[in-house]
Amino acid sequence: MATLDELLATISHACRCQDVRAFSVSLFDDSKQLTRSNRARFLRKAATAFKIAFVPRFEEDIRLKLASKYATICDALSRQSGGQAGTDLSKALAAQLSRFNDALMEQVDFTSLSLFACSFGRHPASSDCRDGVIRIAEVCRDKSEPLQDLTGQHLSLLISGLSKWPDQPAVREAALRIATEISCRTRSDDRLSALTPRHLSMLVNGVGKWLGEERFHTAVVIIADELVRRSDRLSDFTQEQLANLISVFSKRPENSSCRKAAIAISNELLRRSDQLPDFSQQRLAKLVNGFSRWPGELAPRQATAKIAGELVRRGLSVDHHELASLVNGFSKWTAEVACLAASVAIADQVIRHARGAERLSYFRYQELGVLVNGFSKWRQDPSCRQATIEIAGEVLARCDRADGVSCITEQALANLVNGFSKWPQQLSLRDATAALAREVVYRARRAGQLCDFTQQGLAILLNGFSKWPTEVPLREAKTAIANEVLSRACRSNRLSHFTRRALAILANGFSKWRQEEISRHVTVAIAQEILRRAFQVCDFSEQELAQLMRAFSHWPKEVTSREVAVVISQEVLRRLTGTARFTEQEFAYLANGLAKWPEVAICRRAAAAIRNWTAQGDRRRTPCHAAF
């Protein structure tokens, strides 16, 4: 058995002779004889020696068809065991490769390019590695045919390296080519079925960095199908791989393949429930956040409850960045005792942070918004309420600083307002919401509109502000939102992009300021959109129908309000002759609203049908299932 010194001597000899093949043999074959500690020392010294002896010859050896040797050596030495010397080697090779012209790049086969990309991707902070990957991406973009010859393993290595710089245009275009290649591969002609769990995880993690293009979505779905086919072999996947997989699949919760894959992962986690103490808290948080995208599925709910119990057992010593992710996930299952217990424990931890020397200063607005939004699902719990009050205090404290809340994202702003509004009796929450309302007004005046807010974001803001309709800043913010909705209503697509839920929330919110003319104008615009969707009224939920009826009944003289009432009356009658699922409160909203149009025959008929239905007794008063 060769000693460390003997192997280092062999490496030195290969370097002096500039024999990259001999260097490769020593690195991959002879070094297997070393112990772990000696091997790490050997790799670091080998990386330094290779950089000195061979990097200057890189271009020359590429012309001698030695690209594969350099690529495999770079891949081996750029790993963590290669230390800083391996990192320096990767940077040096990347810097040279980034300057290769087209003729020289043609001498590098795509298998070697995949190894180089993966190696450089291990050092995302390096500009040299970034430039090297961009050069590789340009080749893949401009000459993508050789991608067809790559194995699934090398495709995964290639996109894993590219994914470290997703914002680079050339990188994105190359990734699109790879996604297209994945989509063209069926189970019968490779190749994904032959992938190891590690490479399948790398593939989906890489593709998951770009989900704004349909080809990326298709590739993720194909990988999800492959995972479902392996449902009985998920024990081969590591904790990290399972967490990475669920993180990507959760970005497409509406897709049936991603849902099935998530259920398979949930069931695997349940089988491993006795191993949960071995999972890192970061991975548990990633799993919880992923499972939360399927709140109606049994297995994700059960898996999340198991994780919640494990975290409570540990005492929830979780990094503050992960607290928000966990609360967001647990809040999807408010009926689970374990999820409540874990969320209360997180709330207590937030309270301790808030009363410490640094308060909540190191929490980002996005994290504070997610925390508040999650705690609001358990508004009866004193810890969740107190944690929200502490967060409101932090928001008010930041408003006193020069930058105020100018850096807050639209999503975080909406989350905070939504959460604070669940405790309208708390003065500090009202004051914090007023401060956020002033920011909304400022943004509207600065840009002339609130175009950066999504339809859902506008609806959430208005719903929150409506809890304190007499507060001046909130009324001004309401006006800004109304102007934005009216502006969008005047465009060619009108309000067609607003969801049914958003329209119902907006209509209900503006009714809190029904004495103001602008509220009437925007309600008419919403009514016109509902009428354009009259053929889709069967898709509205019972809650949405009741909210709409309640809102429009505040303007009974408006022609559009009456026309919407007619459409809703027809749908109510249809549901009452089948399976009605209205709650007692929803029936009350409908009946009170229909009473505003006694002269309209169908409204009278619907109101009478509701009276007959509710008169049947307690059995039919809460959610109703019997036929009328």
Side-chain angles (χ1 to χ4, degrees), residues 21-284:
R21 291 186 178 88
F23 188 100
S24 178
V25 170
S26 294
L27 181 65
F28 292 108
D29 296 334
D30 299 341
S31 66
K32 293 178 181 178
Q33 306 170 41
L34 297 174
T35 63
R36 178 179 295 183
S37 60
N38 278 344
R39 179 171 169 76
R41 292 176 58 196
F42 171 74
L43 291 175
R44 291 194 292 271
K45 289 183 179 295
T48 300
F50 190 86
K51 178 186 175 186
I52 294 170
F54 292 100
V55 169
R57 293 177 49 85
F58 187 30
E59 185 174 331
E60 180 182 346
D61 282 346
I62 290 296
R63 292 193 175 92
L64 294 175
K65 309 296 184 183
L66 294 173
S68 63
K69 296 297 181 185
Y70 276 79
T72 53
I73 290 170
C74 182
D75 177 55
L77 296 178
S78 65
R79 299 172 187 271
Q80 186 176 7
S81 54
Q84 185 60 45
T87 301
D88 293 341
L89 169 61
S90 293
K91 292 178 181 178
L93 288 173
Q96 284 209 39
L97 188 143
S98 67
R99 295 190 290 269
F100 281 6
N101 58 31
D102 291 343
L104 199 55
M105 287 299 288
E106 286 184 2
Q107 304 300 312
V108 187
D109 61 281
F110 268 51
T111 298
S112 297
L113 287 179
S114 70
L115 289 171
F116 279 129
C118 186
S119 302
F120 301 159
R122 295 187 180 112
H123 314 290
S126 167
S127 58
D128 288 333
C129 290
R130 178 200 63 203
D131 294 342
V133 165
I134 291 173
R135 188 70 184 98
I136 293 171
E138 290 170 347
V139 174
C140 296
R141 176 197 65 192
D142 300 335
K143 189 181 178 183
S144 60
E145 292 81 4
L147 289 174
Q148 300 171 12
D149 299 325
L150 285 182
T151 64
Q153 175 182 338
H154 285 102
L155 276 180
S156 70
L157 295 174
L158 180 56
I159 200 163
S160 178
L162 296 177
S163 69
K164 301 306 190 297
W165 294 275
D167 296 331
Q168 295 294 327
V171 170
R172 184 179 182 279
E173 291 169 12
L176 269 174
R177 301 280 190 180
I178 297 171
T180 302
E181 174 59 27
I182 294 171
S183 302
C184 292
R185 297 186 178 194
T186 62
R187 190 184 180 196
S188 60
D189 65 337
D190 152 271
R191 319 189 335 193
L192 291 187
S193 59
L195 279 178
T196 65
R198 171 175 172 263
H199 290 108
L200 193 67
S201 175
M202 290 175 68
L203 192 65
V204 75
N205 204 40
V207 174
K209 297 298 174 62
W210 301 274
L211 286 182
E213 168 73 39
E214 189 57 34
R215 279 178 282 179
F216 291 124
H217 293 317
T218 302
V220 168
V221 169
I222 289 172
I223 297 168
D225 287 335
E226 175 60 30
L227 193 81
V228 172
R229 283 191 287 271
R230 302 188 190 190
S231 294
D232 60 343
R233 291 177 286 145
L234 294 187
S235 58
D236 297 334
F237 287 78
T238 66
Q239 303 164 4
E240 181 180 10
Q241 290 159 3
L242 291 176
N244 288 339
L245 287 164
I246 195 67
S247 180
V248 175
F249 296 148
S250 67
K251 296 174 183 177
R252 290 297 307 272
E254 75 287 351
N255 181 270
S256 61
S257 295
C258 291
R259 177 179 56 80
K260 291 174 183 176
I263 292 172
I265 294 172
S266 303
N267 285 324
E268 175 60 26
L269 197 73
L270 289 170
R271 284 191 290 270
R272 298 191 198 183
S273 59
D274 60 332
Q275 300 174 22
L276 283 180
D278 300 330
F279 280 69
S280 71
Q281 291 176 153
Q282 181 182 19
R283 288 168 191 158
L284 291 177

Side-chain angles (χ1 to χ4, degrees), residues 563-585:
E563 291 174 344
V564 170
V566 168
V567 171
I568 294 176
S569 296
Q570 292 169 339
E571 178 60 20
V572 169
L573 285 169
R574 186 189 70 80
R575 297 191 189 192
L576 289 179
T577 57
T579 302
R581 299 182 183 274
F582 293 99
T583 65
E584 186 176 2
Q585 182 66 68

Side-chain angles (χ1 to χ4, degrees), residues 600-622:
V600 180
I602 196 165
C603 292
R604 292 199 306 272
R605 284 176 54 202
I610 291 172
R611 287 195 298 273
N612 290 338
W613 185 279
T614 55
Q616 300 303 311
D618 292 343
R619 183 171 58 86
R620 289 184 174 179
R621 283 183 183 150
T622 57

Side-chain angles (χ1 to χ4, degrees), residues 454-467:
T454 65
Q455 296 89 344
Q456 182 182 6
L458 291 174
I460 289 173
L461 284 174
L462 184 72
N463 186 57
F465 296 151
S466 70
K467 300 302 191 297

